[in-house]
Amino acid sequence: MLVLSLSSQIPRAAEGPFSVVLTPLQQLFSGAGSAINDLFRSAGELQDLRQRVQTLQRQVDELSIENLRLREFQAEVRQYRDLLNFASQNPIYDVVGADVIGLSGTCPSEDASRLRAGVCASVIASDPSPFSRYLTINVGRQHGIRVGMPVVGGGLALIGRVGQVNEASSQVQLLIDPNSYVNVQVVSSRATGTVAGQSDGSLLLQNVPQTDNLEADDIIVTSGLGGALPPQLPVGRVERIISTDAQLFKEAIVRPAVDFNRIEIVLVITAAPNMTATLQAP
Amino acid sequence: MRWHVGAFVVLLALALTETSLLPAAIGGGLQPGLVLIATSVWVALRGVEGLFWVFVGGFMLDLTSNLPVGLTSLSLLLGNVVAGILDRAPIPSATVRAVTWVALVTVVSYGISIAGMAISGLDVDVVYAMTNVILPLLVINPALAIVAHVALNQVNLRQRRREAGRTIAL
């Protein structure tokens, strides 16, 4: 009995000091064991996880495609809405098919591309000189293109004017070319001015009288003054006003309505009722 | 004859890449002067004989440019002539020489383009052109000249061997 009693007491007495050393080791080993267990379990679950990942990836792909389609439909609807608004506000222009350009990503067939008011063209090159901003399009003299004709991109925003015409191609002087000047109008205040291209690829609105109201986010459209361009073609929005009250005219930086780096399809307006100077050089 | 046709096709491909492929692929911004690089490296390797290809390449770019016709080819030619005149320093490495050559042609030819535009009455922001166009291209073009030199040097060596063989045959 004494022996039994002592043998049961010794471990208990030794438990305190041992536990100090053992506990961390136990924790370490336990952790290692758990890790090994997890490892084997993970290996076992790997196949299952792989299948689930594949299933989820498939779902993500399907949803992404569906999302893309919905965005395209949304953009299509927006373009149709813009066109309807534009057409109802400007019944003198017939720009049928402009929305098709944006949808198809390429020009429609030859018959369809010969629109009543415009000719569809694809951008095939840009000027090799880094100092000028021109694009080359695949329609030229044989398609009825003349120097000075306005060129619009998606959403009928003005991108520039035809600067040079060859037999089967033309060069379009972009709005952002340093030698491009366009008469414009501020939609909200009806103030008129000039938008000039800048070397850094931005647009500068200038010659707006100090007495006229000009604010950030104002929409800028062509004024049609001079007859070189039809009126009401979107040019951009006022980004910030850079002039001071002391200056004779107001000046502002304009954010273009189109991304000039991503122009692929354009529409050349060959005729418009009040566009009288289409044959003038830009 | 076959060699000339091949060189013409390669040059045309470079011009099309520079004016059509690169703008579509990288969407605006600064693009390397591929024709400038290739023709300048060729002049650095072949001497005066290479000027013919400079003119051909420049003319190809002229066809797609809205700048006054001949300005691009003239600026490239003059750039190479100036680089040839200044090529007096004893540069031991042929690659370094080609890189220096392309850098010189870049500065001179774009400088002539700016001057030509100004004479033609076109607006050009010289400070912007210097800082945002010529300076970056002074890095891009010479960097690509290294690759061009490696490739064109092989063509040059093959051409030299062919010429030597023809001389012996005569």
Side-chain angles (χ1 to χ4, degrees), chain A residues 118-174:
Chain A
V119 174
C120 176
S122 297
V123 176
I124 55 172
S126 56
D127 200 301
S129 168
F131 308 116
S132 60
R133 305 295 181 106
Y134 277 73
L135 290 178
T136 307
I137 55 175
N138 65 344
V139 289
R141 202 173 291 116
Q142 64 189 28
H143 303 92
I145 305 299
R146 299 286 178 270
V147 169
M149 285 178 173
V151 182
V152 294
L156 291 177
L158 182 72
I159 66 163
R161 278 180 286 181
V162 175
Q164 190 178 316
V165 183
N166 306 315
E167 197 55 33
S169 66
S170 309
Q171 285 169 347
V172 179
Q173 183 188 35
L174 299 178

Side-chain angles (χ1 to χ4, degrees), chain A residues 2-281:
Chain A
L2 182 67
V3 172
L4 282 173
S5 173
L6 281 172
S7 65
S8 64
Q9 290 296 319
I10 289 169
R12 285 170 188 266
E15 196 175 77
F18 269 118
S19 68
V20 174
V21 181
L22 278 177
T23 303
L25 286 173
Q26 282 173 322
Q27 284 175 345
L28 186 70
F29 275 78
S30 173
S34 297
I36 291 166
N37 187 26
D38 287 347
L39 187 69
F40 280 108
R41 198 190 303 158
S42 299
E45 288 174 354
L46 195 62
Q47 187 62 27
D48 181 41
L49 283 170
R50 199 173 286 162
Q51 284 176 350
R52 285 173 66 182
V53 165
Q54 282 176 350
T55 308
L56 288 170
Q57 186 61 50
R58 205 177 304 122
Q59 286 178 356
V60 167
D61 290 346
E62 285 170 5
L63 287 171
S64 299
I65 292 167
E66 193 179 334
N67 191 22
L68 200 66
R69 282 203 193 113
L70 287 172
R71 280 172 187 273
E72 283 179 4
F73 282 131
Q74 191 183 25
E76 182 184 348
V77 168
R78 197 180 296 130
Q79 284 191 27
Y80 277 126
R81 196 186 296 148
D82 289 347
L83 283 176
L84 283 171
N85 288 342
F86 187 84
S88 59
Q89 288 165 9
N90 304 277
I92 48 175
Y93 305 124
D94 187 357
V95 284
V96 179
D99 53 343
V100 177
I101 293 165
L103 289 173
S104 63
T106 180
C107 283
S109 64
E110 182 63 23
D111 290 339
S113 69
R114 302 280 295 168
L115 306 170
R116 268 194 292 165
V119 174
C120 176
S122 297
V123 176
I124 55 172
S126 56
D127 200 301
S129 168
F131 308 116
S132 60
R133 305 295 181 106
Y134 277 73
L135 290 178
T136 307
I137 55 175
N138 65 344
V139 289
R141 202 173 291 116
Q142 64 189 28
H143 303 92
I145 305 299
R146 299 286 178 270
V147 169
M149 285 178 173
V151 182
V152 294
L156 291 177
L158 182 72
I159 66 163
R161 278 180 286 181
V162 175
Q164 190 178 316
V165 183
N166 306 315
E167 197 55 33
S169 66
S170 309
Q171 285 169 347
V172 179
Q173 183 188 35
L174 299 178
L175 284 179
I176 52 174
D177 183 79
N179 291 284
S180 163
Y181 298 91
V182 173
N183 289 328
V184 294
Q185 189 173 40
V186 182
V187 171
S188 57
S189 65
R190 318 305 293 169
T192 56
T194 311
V195 159
Q198 300 294 290
S199 297
D200 60 359
S202 63
L203 295 174
L204 179 67
L205 173 63
Q206 52 193 14
N207 300 327
V208 177
Q210 278 289 358
T211 49
D212 288 332
N213 192 29
L214 183 67
E215 290 177 5
D217 265 355
D218 276 348
I219 296 171
I220 309 294
V221 295
T222 53
S223 66
L225 283 176
L229 292 169
Q232 303 299 320
L233 293 176
V235 171
R237 278 175 185 271
V238 173
E239 192 167 285
R240 64 177 193 279
I241 295 157
I242 56 171
S243 58
T244 60
D245 293 342
Q247 288 178 245
L248 193 58
F249 293 102
K250 286 182 177 176
E251 287 187 350
I253 298 293
V254 174
R255 187 170 58 248
V258 289
D259 182 353
F260 288 97
N261 290 329
R262 302 191 195 289
I263 299 169
E264 292 177 352
I265 306 295
V266 298
L267 191 72
V268 184
I269 297 179
T270 53
N274 49 357
M275 192 174 74
T276 56
T278 52
L279 299 182
Q280 288 178 0

